[in-house]
Amino acid sequence: MKKAVLAAFVAAASFQAVGAENIGSQHGYLGEGWYIGADIIDTTFEADGFNGSPSSTSGAISIGYDFTLADSVILGIEAEYADYGKFDFVDNVNVNNRYVYANGFDKFSADLQAFSLYLKPKYFVSNSPFYIGAVVGVGVYSMERKSEGAGTIVSSRGTRNLEYNNTKSESETEFVYGLETGYALNNNVILNAGYRMANLKHYEHDTWYVGLDYKF
């Protein structure tokens, strides 16, 4: 569904770009300057050792500066703060390492935020308001991880109940990459949509986003 939405956005923007006049170079969005942005982000999260891929819809804000590299090419340098949301995993388990559970469960929750720095080159097709581009950068991810579980352990020593509940905060710096497309509605406002991903040590997340940038 997410891929279909992005494909529809690209198709619509491409159609408009074909009919656009060659006026791109006259617009402020191809010049240098500061911009601010806000995105709606939808993230799918995977964790080692747990089944399922929960998703969360949340938001991100950014500030950046565009540099003109050529008549139809600009390079954005952007700082972003993203609240990726909370992701819950619950596994009903019968075996965990050395022990055998009866009616046991493991529950894992991750609350994820990140501060990231991106390079965002954009190529405006045929000097139209439509562009395609890339996203490359580094993110500092902060996570509050909550783990809990319960079950009845059956072992050679007998049967006993086990419960655990703990919270841990951790951070990690990782490489981020993706693709972006967009359409300049006027000299100051750009509609954009894209996809990016990052592989952390024990986790992986994929993010689709759509948003607006306002250029001063």
Side-chain angles (χ1 to χ4, degrees):
M1 179 64 182
K2 300 170 189 172
K3 294 182 180 179
V5 171
L6 181 61
F9 173 83
V10 173
S14 299
F15 178 78
Q16 289 180 305
V18 170
E21 298 180 3
N22 252 357
I23 56 175
S25 59
Q26 302 174 16
H27 280 262
Y29 58 76
L30 272 175
E32 298 191 356
W34 291 95
Y35 65 89
I36 56 175
D39 295 331
I40 298 173
I41 59 178
D42 189 281
T43 302
T44 300
F45 192 84
E46 296 181 1
D48 292 348
F50 282 85
N51 297 322
S53 301
S55 62
S56 175
T57 300
S58 51
I61 56 174
S62 59
I63 184 170
Y65 191 90
D66 281 334
F67 295 90
T68 301
L69 301 184
D71 288 343
S72 300
V73 181
I74 59 176
L75 174 65
I77 298 179
E78 181 177 296
E80 178 197 70
Y81 170 77
D83 182 353
Y84 288 97
K86 186 179 180 182
F87 308 90
D88 296 320
F89 299 82
V90 177
D91 280 351
N92 294 319
V93 297
N94 293 318
V95 179
N96 186 349
N97 297 328
R98 298 171 296 168
Y99 304 113
V100 177
Y101 286 98
N103 301 318
F105 75 91
D106 287 323
K107 183 177 180 181
F108 169 78
S109 298
D111 197 344
L112 184 67
Q113 298 88 36
F115 177 79
S116 303
L117 293 175
Y118 299 129
L119 294 178
K120 303 179 76 171
K122 303 180 181 74
Y123 170 66
F124 286 83
V125 180
S126 301
N127 272 337
S128 74
F130 169 69
Y131 76 84
I132 55 176
V135 181
V136 180
V138 175
V140 180
Y141 294 87
S142 300
M143 180 187 301
E144 183 177 83
R145 186 180 69 183
K146 296 182 180 180
S147 302
E148 61 180 301
T152 302
I153 298 177
V154 180
S155 67
S156 58
R157 297 184 178 181
T159 300
R160 65 187 177 92
N161 294 325
L162 174 68
E163 293 185 9
Y164 67 89
N165 191 325
N166 58 69
T167 300
K168 182 180 180 181
S169 297
E170 56 187 55
S171 63
E172 185 175 341
T173 302
E174 287 296 339
F175 179 68
V176 187
Y177 58 92
L179 298 172
E180 183 175 288
T181 185
Y183 190 88
L185 301 178
N186 53 45
N187 287 3
N188 304 104
V189 181
I190 298 179
L191 173 66
N192 58 64
Y195 164 84
R196 62 176 182 259
M197 69 173 297
N199 292 317
L200 284 71
K201 186 175 181 181
H202 297 293
Y203 318 105
E204 177 181 319
H205 73 82
D206 302 274
T207 300
W208 294 87
Y209 62 92
V210 60
L212 289 174
D213 290 342
Y214 179 83
K215 194 164 189 176
F216 296 99

